[in-house]
Amino acid sequence: MRLVIQRAAEAWVRVEGDEIARIGPGLAILVGVGRDDEDRDALWLAEKTVNLRIFEDQDGKLNLSLLETGGELLAVSQFTLFGDCRRGRRPSFSDAAPPDQGLRIFERYVEACRETGVKVATGRFGAHMQVHLTNDGPVTLILDSRAG
């Protein structure tokens, strides 16, 4: 699994012109599921996500987690995070999970984040979405459950 995590002042998702999800301060996360990913990847990344110390404390140091700040989380499925652009001009998505597996693992990640008490909003799996966010910092990180 791959995550692009952005600290956000606010974020929201629209599908066909309708707003379907919105968060206040917290994290906006693009979630890519790979062909070899399993529930354990979702569980590991959920724990890592909510405990990452990427929010500032009273001294301006990145010492606080999403759990400690009471922030919210917006998770948006993004299979293109597994696009391979090394050859040719068109990305290959052969490393991305098929839709049924992608949905199952994405939902497991969301469920595991919710189980920690974090308020989680989501985009719509498989839909064409417009994702809006105000990046705070900016702080942007990439996590990969299979990176060495």
Side-chain angles (χ1 to χ4, degrees), residues 58-94:
Q58 66 277 6
D59 296 323
K61 298 192 184 292
L62 298 181
N63 277 328
L64 301 175
S65 70
L66 189 66
L67 287 174
E68 294 167 318
T69 62
E72 301 173 337
L73 189 153
L74 174 65
V76 177
S77 176
Q78 183 80 41
F79 80 94
T80 60
L81 291 178
F82 277 89
D84 183 349
C85 300
R86 292 176 292 181
R87 296 184 181 176
R89 295 183 180 167
R90 180 177 304 155
S92 167
F93 299 105
S94 61

Side-chain angles (χ1 to χ4, degrees), residues 27 49-58 61-72 116-118:
L27 300 175
T49 298
V50 301
N51 288 295
L52 272 176
R53 293 170 34 179
I54 58 174
F55 293 91
E56 293 157 352
D57 64 14
Q58 66 277 6
K61 298 192 184 292
L62 298 181
N63 277 328
L64 301 175
S65 70
L66 189 66
L67 287 174
E68 294 167 318
T69 62
E72 301 173 337
T116 69
V118 171

Side-chain angles (χ1 to χ4, degrees), residues 23 72-75 109-111 113-115 118-122:
I23 64 163
E72 301 173 337
L73 189 153
L74 174 65
Y109 171 77
V110 168
E111 176 186 335
C113 289
R114 285 185 175 138
E115 288 171 355
V118 171
K119 178 184 173 194
V120 180
T122 67

Side-chain angles (χ1 to χ4, degrees), residues 4 9 15 38 44 49 55-56 61 69-70 73-74 79 103 105 107 110 113 119 124-125 130 132 138 140-141 143-144:
V4 175
V15 174
E38 302 172 357
W44 183 80
T49 298
F55 293 91
E56 293 157 352
K61 298 192 184 292
T69 62
L73 189 153
L74 174 65
F79 80 94
L103 176 59
I105 300 292
E107 287 179 340
V110 168
C113 289
K119 178 184 173 194
R124 184 174 299 148
F125 189 90
Q130 292 80 47
H132 304 263
T140 302
L141 300 167
L143 294 180
D144 191 321

